[in-house]
Amino acid sequence: VNVVAILQEFWESKQKQKAVFPSEGTVVYESLSSLGPPFVSYVTLPGGSCFGNFQNCLSRAEARRDAAKVALINSLFNELPCRRITKDFIMESVREAVSSTSGNFKDADDPSTSIGAYHYMLESNIGKTMLEFQELMIIFQLLHWNGSLKALRETKCSRQEVISYYSQYSLDERMRSHMALDWITKEQESPGIISQELQVALRELEEARKAGQELRFYKEKKEILSLALSQIYSDQVTSSSQDDQMGLALHGYH
């Protein structure tokens, strides 16, 4: 069975039915550079959900097939009625959120609370599948991790205002660049914090991949932190080069 071709055909058929994501695209594969096994491959679906091979693979082709298999299973599972956001689904999800956070069910009607904000987001996306909802959720997960949500709360923005604002956007290069700039600022305040966070993100990504979980949150963290590090390195090289040029100019002047 050519699972790579089946996955591609599945998403092409959804595209023809116009049942794809607003930020639709193609199925994209990415293989980590490695001199030898085990090889690692990621597959990103239209909408941004990401999966990887969870088995130890002896070739890049095998890793790609394994990643495609995990992605196909999740794509098919997402089509089930139980994965579509309905009133019953929302009530059950809120109950689970309350029990897992030791919260209060009354908080569900208060958007200023975490439970209330989650309830509001689910209500705003009724009729969508969980993979579609996940595309919005990933932005808020990253904003929370980044510290941006806390900063917005300090400016007296309500959770509803923040949700309404960011619901208009998809996670793109511009948003990643803004988040990378935030981490560059953090690095200036606490040297070494980016490297520490990157190590955590890489460990989380590997653990989630081996467990067959959806990987986008961990992968986006890795991309944002790597972008911040490369920018810092680029600035240092540029600064060093300018210092060298200034030194040569002064030497020539003397």
Side-chain angles (χ1 to χ4, degrees), residues 66-82:
D66 195 51
K69 182 168 65 177
V70 176
L72 180 61
I73 290 169
N74 279 275
S75 296
L76 293 171
F77 182 59
N78 189 59
E79 295 298 299
L80 297 176
C82 64

Side-chain angles (χ1 to χ4, degrees), residues 158-176:
S158 71
R159 289 179 190 260
Q160 280 176 304
E161 288 172 332
V162 174
I163 291 169
S164 297
Y165 177 77
Y166 280 102
S167 295
Q168 305 170 52
Y169 298 95
S170 60
L171 186 53
D172 55 15
E173 290 304 318
R174 184 181 175 189
M175 190 176 289
R176 290 187 191 96

Side-chain angles (χ1 to χ4, degrees), residues 23 47-48 135 138-139 142 166 168-180 216 220 223-224 227:
S23 57
E135 185 177 11
I138 197 74
I139 294 175
L142 288 168
Y166 280 102
Q168 305 170 52
Y169 298 95
S170 60
L171 186 53
D172 55 15
E173 290 304 318
R174 184 181 175 189
M175 190 176 289
R176 290 187 191 96
S177 295
H178 281 305
M179 291 188 182
R216 190 177 185 188
E220 290 289 355
E223 298 294 337
I224 290 164
L227 181 61

Side-chain angles (χ1 to χ4, degrees), residues 5-124:
I6 293 172
L7 181 65
Q8 185 66 38
E9 288 169 9
F10 173 86
W11 283 100
E12 283 178 358
S13 69
K14 286 185 73 67
Q15 194 167 19
K16 289 173 185 174
Q17 298 165 15
K18 300 299 181 186
V20 290
F21 294 81
S23 57
E24 65 189 61
T26 55
V27 176
V28 178
Y29 291 89
E30 175 192 349
S31 295
L32 292 190
S33 57
S34 175
L35 295 175
F39 291 97
V40 174
S41 182
Y42 298 111
V43 55
T44 301
L45 303 176
S49 292
C50 180
F51 300 93
N53 60 297
F54 68 93
Q55 296 181 340
N56 282 337
C57 298
L58 301 179
S59 70
R60 288 185 176 84
E62 184 187 355
R64 180 170 165 151
R65 286 193 297 271
D66 195 51
K69 182 168 65 177
V70 176
L72 180 61
I73 290 169
N74 279 275
S75 296
L76 293 171
F77 182 59
N78 189 59
E79 295 298 299
L80 297 176
C82 64
R83 297 295 289 170
R84 198 165 289 277
I85 299 173
T86 62
K87 289 287 185 183
D88 290 341
F89 180 92
I90 291 171
M91 291 301 292
E92 185 59 33
S93 297
V94 170
R95 280 197 200 95
E96 288 177 6
V98 168
S99 63
S100 65
T101 59
S102 302
N104 191 317
F105 201 76
K106 292 179 181 178
D107 291 343
D109 295 323
D110 182 1
S112 67
T113 65
S114 297
I115 298 292
Y118 180 55
H119 184 209
Y120 175 77
M121 288 176 71
L122 284 169
E123 287 281 359
S124 302

Side-chain angles (χ1 to χ4, degrees), residues 202-214:
L202 289 170
R203 186 174 66 250
E204 290 174 337
L205 179 59
E206 184 177 13
E207 289 172 354
R209 178 181 62 79
K210 289 180 177 178
Q213 297 173 2
E214 204 279 325

